[in-house]
Amino acid sequence: MKNKKWIVSIVLAAVVLGGLGVMRNHFKKKSETAKKVLDVGFLPVTCHLTCPVTDFATSRNPDYRFVSQRFTDFPTMAEAFKAGRLKAAFFIAPMAMKLREQGVKAKIVYLGHRDGSTVMVKKDSPIHNLRDLEGKKFAIPSRYSNQYLVIRKLMKDQGVAPEKIQFVEIPPPEMPAALANSSIDAYFVGEPHAAKSELNGVGRVLYHAKDIWPKFISCVLIVSEDLMANNPDIVRELVAGIAESGEWAETHREKAAAVAAPYYRQDEKLLRYVLTTPGDRVSYRMLTPEDADIKVIHDMAVEAGLLAKPIELSQLVDRSFIPKEIKSREL
């Protein structure tokens, strides 16, 4: 009789434990389903720093997670966006406009940064201005980059004809090596790919973007219109997260370098150098995409022939998801 009771007890325990396991799996699946996850494309440049910081900050959030998807060049990321594999991503501003011109239904909802790009030449180079670059190879991330537009403006200011400099497009991570092996004579890129040449003793700064164009804008956050329409809450949370991460990074620069380094697959020392030397090398404040700023970039892109015709600003920008008050995100 005792054996029968013992057997019954075991069976009941197994049933209870099995039931608890089913319930645990049920609630786990329910929890995972309830948590909204969005992939956000970025490149390992400090212009996009708020993307991995927001990923890190939301990794323990019960409601939302913004997973940063690392790319090494803009064309590949653009193809992913066109194919619908990405619904949100950081792009160089003129390329974001070009995507719109090509029929991609997406809008600029926030900026990535201010300043944070640098023109580099070899440390022992006799190049001291753009005139010295006549007949030389000058690398840019893309012809659809603000770096290209800014240099065109500087060339015009210094009386250098457009055809006098040979522009080549190179993925940002490859630029320091290209300068080191003399396959290019100069490059203009978002950090930390400029500072890398400084720290390895190969390059020196010719111009900081902030010295050419104060409050320089290179990259913007774009979101697909279907995501805005079908899931406005996640877009609102994304923009708030990026804004708050920027405010946090502005006052926690060394910690921001530590957070971003694994996402960038770069040395923390390099990122720390960029974020602190000098302290205004790149900024993550004043990131609302104002019409005046966007129009300047747009008009320069039209003049350079990057856009076939003007685009209405209302088709390019949506500021409705930006929080009224931006607080520092706690990590």
Side-chain angles (χ1 to χ4, degrees):
M1 196 69 173
K2 288 183 178 179
N3 287 338
K4 286 184 178 180
K5 288 182 178 179
W6 181 75
I7 293 171
V8 170
S9 296
I10 291 176
V11 171
L12 286 172
V15 170
V16 170
L17 289 173
L20 288 174
V22 170
M23 289 175 68
R24 185 163 53 249
N25 288 335
H26 168 74
F27 285 119
K28 182 180 179 183
K29 288 179 181 177
K30 186 176 180 181
S31 175
E32 289 174 349
T33 303
K35 187 169 183 173
K36 294 181 179 179
V37 179
L38 179 68
D39 291 342
V40 184
F42 84 106
L43 264 65
V45 290
T46 50
C47 307
H48 302 180
L49 181 82
T50 52
C51 186
V53 171
T54 302
D55 181 330
F56 182 83
T58 59
S59 61
R60 297 177 297 278
N61 186 303
D63 301 315
Y64 296 94
R65 174 74 188 276
F66 300 106
V67 180
S68 54
Q69 293 293 315
R70 180 181 180 274
F71 290 79
T72 57
D73 63 84
F74 287 109
T76 303
M77 190 161 66
E79 289 306 312
F81 202 98
K82 289 179 182 179
R85 295 192 298 275
L86 283 176
K87 297 291 185 181
F90 285 83
F91 277 99
I92 37 184
M95 182 174 282
M97 296 174 187
K98 189 65 179 180
L99 288 173
R100 184 75 198 197
E101 184 183 75
Q102 293 173 342
V104 177
K105 300 296 185 182
K107 288 185 177 180
I108 298 167
V109 294
Y110 209 55
L111 302 181
H113 66 108
R114 295 275 183 172
D115 305 318
S117 289
T118 309
V119 180
M120 297 298 298
V121 295
K122 272 199 165 181
K123 191 173 183 179
D124 58 356
S125 169
I127 296 168
H128 296 285
N129 54 49
L130 283 185
R131 283 195 171 279
D132 294 336
L133 276 166
E134 290 188 0
K136 308 292 186 181
K137 285 187 178 180
F138 192 133
I140 52 174
S142 166
R143 288 187 181 273
Y144 295 99
S145 67
N146 271 13
Q147 284 85 356
Y148 177 56
L149 296 181
V150 170
I151 287 300
R152 279 177 55 92
K153 180 183 183 301
L154 193 60
M155 289 170 70
K156 187 176 181 180
D157 293 344
Q158 295 189 10
V160 180
E163 67 277 6
K164 291 293 185 178
I165 295 177
Q166 183 182 349
F167 288 102
V168 293
E169 298 179 37
I170 297 180
E174 298 176 16
M175 290 183 180
L179 185 69
N181 65 29
S182 300
S183 59
I184 58 174
D185 301 288
Y187 66 88
F188 191 12
V189 72
E191 296 288 4
H193 303 295
K196 187 173 184 179
S197 288
E198 273 189 279
L199 290 181
N200 65 21
V202 170
R204 65 174 165 83
V205 174
L206 184 62
Y207 301 105
H208 285 299
K210 65 186 181 67
D211 301 325
I212 306 172
W213 181 353
K215 304 303 178 186
F216 173 76
I217 298 167
S218 173
C219 295
V220 298
L221 173 64
I222 69 170
V223 174
S224 68
E225 288 189 350
D226 67 317
L227 185 64
M228 293 182 194
N230 298 324
N231 204 335
D233 288 344
I234 200 168
V235 178
R236 194 169 291 108
E237 288 291 331
L238 171 62
V239 176
I242 295 295
E244 292 169 5
S245 293
E247 186 62 29
W248 177 83
E250 193 71 25
T251 55
H252 298 79
R253 289 176 173 262
E254 293 193 2
K255 289 183 180 179
V259 168
Y263 291 91
Y264 280 38
R265 302 174 197 172
Q266 291 170 352
D267 187 348
E268 181 184 329
K269 177 184 175 183
L270 172 62
L271 294 177
R272 188 166 59 246
Y273 179 81
V274 171
L275 294 177
T276 60
T277 313
D280 63 348
R281 195 169 186 143
V282 57
S283 173
Y284 302 104
R285 284 177 173 157
M286 297 174 57
L287 301 185
T288 295
E290 302 291 355
D291 283 354
D293 287 329
I294 300 302
K295 189 175 188 309
V296 168
I297 299 168
H298 168 272
D299 291 351
M300 290 174 72
V302 172
E303 182 183 350
L306 303 182
L307 298 176
K309 58 183 180 179
I311 304 172
E312 291 291 331
L313 288 177
S314 61
Q315 297 297 305
L316 293 174
V317 182
D318 188 331
R319 289 183 285 269
S320 65
F321 298 97
I322 300 174
K324 291 181 179 179
E325 183 180 0
I326 299 172
K327 299 178 180 179
S328 176
R329 175 176 288 270
E330 294 303 321
L331 269 68

